[in-house]
């Protein structure tokens, strides 16, 4: 059952690190569960005059290190256990990146595509009217996630500011740049992935310019990971992949000379689907979805969905692969993870590898507080520093304790949260 309920998986992962850290029972009792949960109903007046009542959630897993941080998802299959698991993972992600924030997540059970723009705006304002006493720049700072957008954050921020009677931009992050958002946020997660890949290659004594990568996905994270690997490291991106919404099938796109990520980005729609005709005309080879994982490359970057590196696909990983950088959240199943570990491939675990997004959200909050905004270069430079320090914190732990990188990331994160709870006198 553990594979099916994400919260049980998150708890099992925590239990393992708690054992490694030999944590006492009282601390485990706190960290295995969210500190606070909000369950509420949001009435929505539909375009036809009828009322639809939606179920909303906000989970604040732990705020020992600072205000809770995490997205709000609008998804028809949302469950409280998904939100709990994601909130717990946010606690570890913020801690491993060493940003002064805790972990939270929110959701509404709804298919946003079924709502008109006016209904979406009402839903966003309704969510805030239920939660405004319990969120804020010093309490809990939500952001966009699956099914929510920058525009929605702007509506939510507006509603919160109205209720407070003052402008409070820092209550939500992921806002449009014209409305208090940060430059560099779009590129942040993918570039952050590449900053950690650069450090991993350095550690392994490999020249990035002589390395190649295969990337799964071509959405926000994968596009900027591809651009970063190509432009910043000078490496060759052998292929990327995407799910074709017309064919309802995923494909891998490769090019004999390596892909040009800028060209591909120019022929990709907002959902991350590459235009097949234009790609073929430019000499791209379109292969099966699974082809990306079998490529003879140095670096594999799963940056699409969860569970893609699993018992069936992990044995197909080429013998020359030296680094796996988990751009996506949870791309590797427990069986896939075991195989990677046994083969001794260097792993950059998801909540370290893709922490660039939340780190730049933190920078957005900092800029909102100062009411002074950094240039894109300044944001990305600060991001590089944060990701590099975070990577080496985990690597040092892995080398010192002789543990796998995923276990080392948990040890670093859980230990930081426990220390904050102890310093506050909670335990
Ligand atoms: P996205 O929706 O922009 O892109 C997803 C991409 O994956 C698309 O190109 C889609 O076509 C492709 N895809 C879907 N199914 C596929 C399949 N079976 N095979 C190959 N490709 C497939 O999403 P994103 O924002 O890039 O997020 C990707 C992952 O990274 C998710 O796990 C997300 O939770 C995680 N993540 C994202 C951010 C962020 O800032 N965007 C931050 C941290 C983690």
């Amino acid at each position: 059952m553990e594979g099916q309920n994400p919260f049980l998986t998150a708890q099992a992962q925590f239990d393992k690190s708690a054992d490694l850290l030999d944590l006492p029972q009282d601390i485990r009792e706190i960290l295995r569960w969210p500190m606070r949960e909000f369950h509420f109903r949001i009435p929505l007046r539909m375009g036809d005059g009828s009322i639809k009542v939606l179920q909303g959630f906000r989970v604040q897993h732990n705020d020992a290190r600072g205000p809770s941080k995490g997205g709000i998802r609008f998804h028809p299959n949302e469950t409280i256990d998904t939100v709990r698991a994601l909130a717990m993972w946010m606690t570890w992600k913020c801690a491993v990146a060493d940003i002064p924030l805790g972990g939270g997540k929110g959701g509404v059970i709804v298919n946003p595509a079924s709502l008109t723009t006016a209904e979406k705006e009402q839903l966003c304002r309704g969510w805030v009217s239920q939660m405004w006493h319990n969120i804020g720049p010093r309490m809990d700072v939500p952001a966009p996630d699956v099914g929510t957008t920058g525009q929605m954050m702007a509506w939510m921020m507006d509603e919160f500011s109205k209720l407070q009677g003052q402008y409070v931009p820092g209550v939500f992050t992921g806002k449009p740049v014209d409305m208090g958002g940060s430059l560099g946020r779009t590129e942040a997660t993918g570039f952050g992935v590449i900053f950690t890949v650069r450090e991993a290659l350095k550690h392994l004594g490999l020249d990035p310019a002589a390395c190649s990568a295969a990337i799964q996905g071509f959405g926000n994270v994968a596009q900027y990971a591809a651009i970063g690997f190509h432009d910043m490291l000078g490496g060759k991106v052998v292929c990327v992949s995407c799910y074709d919404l017309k064919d309802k099938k995923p494909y891998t796109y490769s090019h004999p000379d390596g892909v040009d990520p800028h060209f591909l980005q120019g022929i990709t729609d907002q959902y991350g689907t590459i235009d097949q005709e234009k790609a073929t005309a430019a000499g791209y080879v379109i292969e099966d979805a699974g082809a990306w994982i079998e490529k003879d490359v140095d670096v594999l970057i799963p940056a699409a969905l969860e569970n893609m590196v699993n018992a069936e696909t992990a044995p197909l990983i080429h013998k020359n692969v030296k680094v796996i950088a988990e751009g996506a959240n949870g791309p590797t199943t427990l069986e896939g993870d075991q195989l990677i570990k046994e083969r001794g491939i260097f792993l950059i675990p998801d909540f370290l590898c893709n922490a660039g997004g939340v780190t730049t959200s933190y920078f957005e909050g900092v800029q909102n507080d100062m009411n002074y905004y950094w240039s894109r270069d300044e944001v990305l430079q600060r991001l590089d520093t944060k990701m590099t320090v975070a990577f080496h914190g985990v690597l040092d732990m892995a080398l010192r304790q002789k543990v796998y990188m995923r276990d080392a990331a948990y040890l670093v994160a859980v230990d930081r949260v426990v220390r904050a709870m102890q310093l506050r006198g909670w335990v």
Side-chain angles (χ1 to χ4, degrees):
M1 283 308 285
E2 282 186 8
Q4 284 161 22
N5 182 330
F7 186 48
L8 293 181
T9 305
Q11 285 185 317
Q13 290 168 343
F14 165 72
D15 290 343
K16 192 175 162 202
S17 55
D19 287 344
L20 284 169
L21 285 165
D22 203 16
L23 289 185
Q25 199 54 33
D26 51 354
I27 293 182
R28 293 179 194 228
E29 284 303 310
I30 295 178
L31 289 172
R32 291 191 92 243
W33 288 92
M35 300 200 70
R36 259 168 256 108
E37 286 187 7
F38 302 89
H39 299 227
F40 46 90
R41 311 285 281 168
I42 307 172
L44 202 62
R45 186 173 295 280
M46 305 300 283
D48 63 4
S50 65
I51 300 281
K52 195 171 182 172
V53 184
L54 300 174
Q55 177 67 46
F57 307 110
R58 183 73 184 170
V59 171
Q60 296 167 352
H61 172 259
N62 189 283
D63 55 11
R65 287 175 45 86
S68 306
K69 182 91 197 86
I72 301 174
R73 294 156 42 102
F74 287 175
H75 196 278
N77 302 331
E78 195 62 277
T79 68
I80 185 62
D81 277 345
T82 316
V83 182
R84 285 172 174 154
L86 292 164
M88 190 192 277
W89 285 323
M90 285 304 295
T91 302
W92 312 140
K93 192 180 292 196
C94 292
V96 91
D98 201 14
I99 52 180
L101 297 169
K105 208 77 175 188
V108 176
I109 305 175
V110 66
N111 176 7
S114 70
L115 303 178
T116 62
T117 304
E119 290 161 354
K120 281 183 210 161
E121 179 174 348
Q122 242 198 91
L123 170 57
C124 291
R125 293 186 187 277
W127 195 95
V128 173
S129 70
Q130 292 292 339
M131 278 302 301
W132 72 284
H133 286 293
N134 296 289
I135 57 172
R138 298 287 171 270
M139 248 191 271
D140 181 2
V141 185
D145 205 295
V146 174
T148 48
T149 61
Q151 169 63 76
M152 292 179 182
M153 296 306 112
W155 288 327
M156 288 182 165
M157 183 277 287
D158 179 71
E159 188 66 20
F160 184 86
S161 297
K162 275 184 189 157
L163 290 164
Q164 290 276 332
Q166 58 179 318
Y167 178 52
V168 192
V171 59
F172 290 94
T173 63
K175 302 179 294 294
V177 170
D178 291 334
M179 192 60 266
S182 177
L183 291 170
R185 175 63 186 88
T186 309
E187 308 89 310
T189 308
F191 282 5
V193 167
I194 297 308
F195 296 144
T196 65
V197 168
R198 181 193 64 206
E199 295 307 304
L201 295 176
K202 209 184 282 173
H203 165 66
L204 298 173
L206 297 167
D207 172 12
C211 286
S212 54
I215 300 179
Q216 187 191 35
F218 204 58
N220 174 261
V221 179
Q223 286 176 22
Y224 289 99
I227 289 173
F229 195 81
H230 181 269
D231 293 6
M232 294 194 286
L233 304 190
K236 177 172 170 178
V237 180
V238 167
C239 67
V240 299
S241 66
C242 73
Y243 185 84
D244 191 289
L245 289 170
K246 252 195 279 149
D247 293 4
K248 298 197 176 4
K249 267 170 68 173
Y251 297 107
T252 295
Y253 292 73
S254 56
H255 194 284
D257 307 327
V259 310
D260 173 351
H262 295 282
F263 168 75
L264 285 182
Q265 194 180 37
I267 60 164
T268 299
D269 69 15
Q270 58 168 319
Y271 305 105
T273 302
I274 299 168
D275 186 314
Q276 287 193 41
E277 253 175 57
K278 289 182 182 152
T280 312
Y284 281 80
V285 181
I286 304 181
E287 300 167 88
D288 276 355
W292 75 282
I293 207 167
E294 300 184 43
K295 297 283 180 196
D296 176 1
V297 290
D298 303 290
V299 183
L300 280 183
I301 307 180
L305 296 179
E306 60 280 1
N307 300 335
M308 303 308 278
V309 184
N310 52 43
E312 286 82 55
T313 59
L316 304 175
I317 294 173
H318 196 278
K319 63 176 181 4
N320 290 339
V321 170
K322 293 158 194 91
V323 174
I324 297 181
E326 293 184 329
N329 281 322
T332 307
T333 64
L334 293 174
E335 296 85 356
D337 204 34
Q338 191 55 35
L339 282 166
I340 295 170
K341 207 169 168 176
E342 281 166 13
R343 284 183 48 183
I345 301 173
F346 189 91
L347 179 93
I348 312 172
D350 52 2
F351 67 89
L352 166 65
C353 191
N354 67 33
V358 73
T359 301
T360 308
S361 284
Y362 159 62
F363 291 158
E364 179 177 335
V366 170
Q367 294 169 83
N368 291 155
D369 276 355
M370 295 187 297
N371 205 14
Y372 176 78
Y373 290 82
W374 297 326
S375 68
R376 175 178 177 274
D377 283 353
E378 223 169 331
V379 171
L380 294 177
Q381 187 51 53
R382 287 175 198 271
L383 176 65
D384 190 349
T385 305
K386 270 286 185 204
M387 294 300 294
T388 301
V389 170
F391 175 89
H392 285 285
V394 173
L395 178 63
D396 287 350
M397 176 68 86
L399 297 175
R400 216 173 39 241
Q401 300 289 334
K402 298 190 175 42
V403 291
Y404 185 47
M405 280 289 280
R406 192 184 310 281
D407 295 336
Y410 267 101
L411 292 183
V412 169
V414 174
D415 185 52
R416 283 183 182 155
V417 176
V418 169
R419 269 190 289 141
M421 295 202 304
Q422 285 168 336
L423 286 166
R424 282 174 165 237
W426 292 0
V427 284

